[in-house]
């Protein structure tokens, strides 16, 4: 997403962990989570994460909960 990077850590232990957002144009070292200050970008990243993924070939790399 251009300058933005969204990540969600600890998916195995916290499947609903908050999404973190980093502005790589200003913070290449990803030191400051700017999610709270950019809710529109955060929603776009979250939508992409929910819809634009395919299951991994190796089951241990599928970190989503099975419904």
């Amino acid at each position: 997403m251009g300058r933005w990077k969204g990540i969600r850590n600890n998916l195995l232990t916290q499947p609903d962990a908050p999404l973190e957002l980093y502005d790589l144009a200003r913070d290449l070292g990803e030191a400051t989570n700017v999610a709270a200050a950019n809710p529109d970008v955060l929603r776009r990243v979250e939508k992409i994460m929910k819809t634009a993924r395919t299951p991994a070939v190796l089951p241990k790399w599928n970190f989503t909960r099975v419904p």
Side-chain angles (χ1 to χ4, degrees):
M1 284 212 21
R3 68 191 278 175
W4 303 104
K5 178 180 179 180
I7 62 170
R8 183 170 278 133
N9 290 310
N10 304 315
L11 285 177
L12 287 176
T13 57
Q14 298 175 337
D16 296 323
L19 185 61
E20 297 176 15
L21 183 68
Y22 297 95
D23 181 351
L24 300 179
R26 296 182 182 199
D27 180 18
L28 196 55
E30 301 173 24
T32 305
N33 179 2
V34 295
N38 297 280
D40 292 338
V41 176
L42 190 67
R43 281 190 291 274
R44 288 181 18 223
V45 170
E46 190 156 36
K47 181 179 178 183
I48 289 169
M49 286 182 165
K50 287 181 179 178
T51 61
R53 67 172 301 279
T54 57
V57 175
L58 299 174
K60 71 178 184 176
W61 292 106
N62 289 308
F63 300 118
T64 57
R65 286 184 278 174
V66 177

